[in-house]
Amino acid sequence: MPEQPPPPPAALAREALRAAILRGEYLPGERLVEAQLSERFAASRFTVRAALQELAGDGLVEMRRNKGAHVRKVSIEEAIEISEVRMVLEGLVAARAAVRVSDGQASELDEVALLMRRAVGAGEFHRYSDLNHRLHALIRDIAGHRTADGIIETLRGQLVRHQFMLSLHPGRPAVSLPQHERIVEAIRRRDPEAAESAMREHIASVIDHLRTLDKVLT
């Protein structure tokens, strides 16, 4: 089988910058200076500019006239709307995962759920946030629905700051943990209806919490 050609420079720069934004290294509203990005990622200004344009298409970057590129701010109102779309898509993905899951994948889901429970018990909420992302990514991987996966990943990128705030909010992990465990259990039982219902219930809870945050902040 012939070797695959390496990704083009713009794709490498885009993925590196995207990962940095998702890790919180660049904050919402922060200006993204082409010269600095070019130096950091060892890429040409042209390559960085192309990467910024693509990330703008993904909703992570905002191109402002005469002001350059900035990390896009997402209001809580918009975050709620995005989460409503996620609720439908991730419910579909959970149902599909329940149909396709193998015994080995079911064991992996159990392992992640156990690590999440231990993280909550130890008060390791940053770790819980990472495991939360890992669990949802694993469910999407099991489902193998490429179209839904691409859309969800784009939406998740736009919500990353709000999701991080939620994971650190007092009491939130203790609420979401049993929701995640119900999702895992339904997928392990290969019950697509229960898996979809459990996932939609979980994200509906996220939406309710975002509404609570909106009231606190306003």
Side-chain angles (χ1 to χ4, degrees):
M1 186 174 180
E3 290 187 11
Q4 293 293 322
L12 294 173
R14 180 191 67 230
E15 289 309 309
L17 178 55
R18 185 179 191 278
I21 292 173
L22 295 182
R23 288 194 299 267
E25 295 177 23
Y26 298 99
L27 300 177
E30 183 173 346
R31 187 181 176 199
L32 299 167
V33 181
E34 287 182 10
Q36 295 173 356
L37 297 175
S38 179
E39 181 177 355
R40 172 174 178 178
F41 299 117
S44 69
R45 293 279 290 272
F46 175 82
T47 296
V48 166
R49 194 172 301 124
L52 289 170
Q53 291 287 354
E54 291 192 37
L55 290 173
D58 289 343
L60 283 179
V61 170
E62 181 181 13
M63 309 298 289
R64 299 179 186 173
R65 188 176 180 84
N66 299 323
K67 294 184 178 180
H70 295 72
V71 179
R72 192 168 79 87
K73 292 181 180 179
V74 175
S75 68
I76 289 185
E77 181 180 353
E78 186 178 357
I80 290 170
E81 291 183 359
I82 292 171
S83 298
E84 289 170 341
V85 176
R86 275 188 61 216
M87 181 168 64
V88 176
L89 288 174
E90 295 213 40
L92 165 71
V93 166
R96 184 170 163 124
V99 173
R100 294 167 56 96
V101 67
S102 68
D103 290 343
Q105 290 167 332
S107 296
E108 192 174 353
L109 287 171
D110 278 342
E111 179 185 355
V112 177
L114 177 60
L115 291 173
M116 292 175 79
R117 176 163 287 281
R118 288 175 177 170
V120 171
E124 297 174 345
F125 299 128
H126 285 84
R127 176 161 171 72
Y128 180 81
S129 178
D130 291 340
L131 289 166
N132 179 14
H133 171 56
R134 179 178 164 189
L135 179 67
H136 282 267
L138 177 57
I139 292 170
R140 295 200 308 273
D141 186 54
I142 294 168
H145 196 304
R146 289 188 298 173
T147 300
D149 189 33
I151 297 171
I152 291 168
E153 188 62 16
T154 297
L155 296 176
R156 190 193 74 82
Q158 296 175 33
L159 288 176
V160 67
R161 300 299 299 176
H162 294 289
Q163 290 174 329
F164 186 70
M165 281 194 304
L166 283 177
S167 69
L168 298 182
H169 198 267
R172 176 61 196 170
V175 172
S176 67
L177 175 63
Q179 295 170 353
H180 285 116
E181 291 175 332
R182 283 194 290 273
I183 295 167
V184 168
E185 177 59 26
I187 293 174
R188 288 183 73 260
R189 292 201 318 268
R190 295 171 172 80
D191 186 337
E193 290 185 3
E196 180 172 7
S197 177
M199 181 64 81
R200 289 177 69 105
E201 177 187 343
H202 165 56
I203 298 183
S205 171
V206 171
I207 293 169
D208 288 342
H209 215 81
L210 284 169
R211 291 193 175 110
T212 300
L213 279 181
D214 191 28
K215 290 177 183 178
V216 170
L217 295 175
T218 56

